[in-house]
């Protein structure tokens, strides 16, 4: 098993590549003092959205490559702030392009994180997160009921309070298959991605991201998660009852 320190040069080269992309930004006919960087606040998000919209008019392919690279960078290395990237996608590309783009990038980026964890992080994660690993293995039923695994994985993604970064790094440790992991991220985070991208289309009228994630919205996401999981739980319960009757 390779050491977790092998991730450091990977991050270095990925950072160098991303920085190199920023130096290739199109020249604008108007002066703009905003620099390309990951937004850290709502005001910065608006400024960078305006800048990238101008770049998009000059060279749309450059903006797509830059945005996709930055998105994968954040997802692969568990950097917080995916909500900013989703809102940014809506502001630059609109919902029709931004929504499917974010769904695909989320799934690919999370899968990169999955592969990094499986290749370099197993001993470290087993040392620092033993309880979480045991709980997740038991909750997902990887060993006992592998046929239900996809339902539980999608439930975890739909549920608004789930720490997605932790799921990304622990799933390979409990031997979740990569293809099921990819599918669960792609479909399980669709509602969340849609809400963020849709908000990006109305970015100019928003005063904060709290308007996107209201209590009502979080309850709706939790309800969707329950709807996905409930039929499978009822089906499992019925199987157990039938087996008891036969015995």
């Amino acid at each position: 098993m390779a050491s977790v320190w092998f991730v450091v040069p990977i991050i270095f080269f990925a950072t160098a590549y991303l920085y190199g992309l920023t130096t290739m930004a199109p020249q604008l006919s108007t002066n703009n003092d905003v620099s390309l960087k990951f937004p850290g606040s709502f005001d910065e998000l608006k400024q960078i959205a305006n800048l990238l919209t101008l770049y998009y008019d000059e060279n749309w392919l450059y903006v797509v490559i830059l945005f996709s690279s930055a998105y994968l960078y954040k997802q692969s290395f568990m950097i917080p702030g995916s909500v900013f990237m989703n809102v940014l996608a809506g502001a630059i590309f609109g919902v029709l392009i931004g929504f499917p783009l974010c769904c695909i990038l989320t799934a690919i980026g999370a899968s990169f994180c999955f592969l990094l964890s499986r290749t370099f992080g197993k001993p470290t994660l087993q040392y620092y997160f033993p309880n979480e690993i045991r709980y997740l293995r038991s909750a997902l039923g990887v060993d006992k009921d592998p046929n239900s695994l996809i339902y539980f994985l999608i439930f975890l993604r739909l549920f608004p309070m789930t720490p997605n970064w932790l799921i990304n790094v622990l799933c390979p440790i409990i031997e979740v298959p990569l293809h099921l992991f990819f599918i669960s991220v792609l479909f399980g985070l669709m509602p969340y991605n849609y809400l963020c991208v849709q908000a990006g289309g109305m970015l100019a009228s928003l005063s904060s991201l709290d308007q996107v994630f209201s209590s009502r919205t979080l309850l709706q996401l939790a309800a969707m998660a329950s709807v996905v999981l409930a039929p499978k739980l009822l089906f499992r319960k019925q199987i157990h009852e039938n087996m008891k009757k036969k015995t």
Side-chain angles (χ1 to χ4, degrees):
M1 180 65 64
S3 170
V4 69
W5 292 107
F6 280 93
V7 177
V8 174
I10 295 176
I11 296 176
F12 174 80
F13 285 113
T15 304
Y17 161 76
L18 199 57
Y19 176 77
L21 276 180
T22 64
T23 63
M24 299 167 61
Q27 295 295 321
L28 298 176
S29 56
T30 57
N31 292 327
N32 198 307
D33 296 330
V34 180
S35 59
L36 283 174
K37 61 179 181 178
F38 288 116
S41 67
F42 189 73
D43 290 335
E44 287 183 355
L45 176 65
K46 284 189 172 183
Q47 293 173 355
I48 293 173
N50 292 333
L51 176 61
L52 289 177
T53 301
L54 294 174
Y55 285 156
Y56 191 74
D57 293 335
E58 297 289 333
N59 189 337
W60 66 269
L61 182 59
Y62 168 78
V63 175
V64 171
I65 294 173
L66 176 65
F67 177 84
S68 300
S69 299
Y71 201 110
L72 292 176
Y73 182 89
K74 289 180 74 71
Q75 287 287 314
S76 299
F77 304 126
M78 302 179 296
I79 301 174
S82 62
V83 59
F84 287 129
M85 298 302 294
N86 289 339
V87 173
L88 199 57
I92 301 169
F93 308 115
V95 175
L96 289 179
I97 297 176
F99 172 58
L101 179 63
C102 284
C103 290
I104 293 170
L105 291 175
T106 300
I108 294 175
S111 297
F112 283 164
C113 183
F114 178 103
L115 292 172
L116 287 172
S117 175
R118 185 172 69 181
T119 306
F120 305 111
K122 189 170 184 179
T124 303
L125 291 168
Q126 288 176 330
Y127 179 80
Y128 285 104
F129 298 100
N131 295 330
E132 290 81 358
I133 291 172
R134 283 194 295 270
Y135 175 79
L136 189 62
R137 183 184 294 275
S138 175
L140 293 179
V142 177
D143 302 321
K144 297 180 181 179
D145 192 6
N147 294 327
S148 301
L149 182 57
I150 187 64
Y151 294 94
F152 287 94
L153 286 171
I154 292 177
F155 168 81
L156 288 177
R157 299 298 179 174
L158 284 170
F159 195 73
M161 300 305 172
T162 301
N164 284 301
W165 68 270
L166 190 60
I167 303 300
N168 291 347
V169 297
L170 294 187
C171 274
I173 309 305
I174 62 172
E175 299 179 355
V176 171
L178 178 58
H179 69 284
L180 293 183
F181 175 86
F182 181 92
I183 292 171
S184 69
V185 177
L186 179 65
F187 292 102
L189 288 178
M190 275 187 174
Y192 168 81
N193 288 337
Y194 180 78
L195 286 173
C196 297
V197 173
Q198 186 183 45
M202 305 179 293
L203 185 60
S205 62
L206 297 178
S207 58
S208 74
L209 290 179
D210 292 336
Q211 294 176 263
V212 181
F213 297 105
S214 62
S215 299
R216 180 180 179 182
T217 301
L218 295 177
L219 287 174
Q220 288 175 338
L221 289 174
M224 292 177 64
S226 301
V227 168
V228 169
L229 192 59
K232 193 63 182 178
L233 292 176
L234 292 173
F235 182 68
R236 178 188 287 181
K237 182 179 179 181
Q238 186 64 40
I239 290 177
H240 287 321
E241 289 179 353
N242 292 338
M243 290 179 64
K244 287 181 180 180
K245 289 179 181 178
K246 290 181 180 180
T247 56

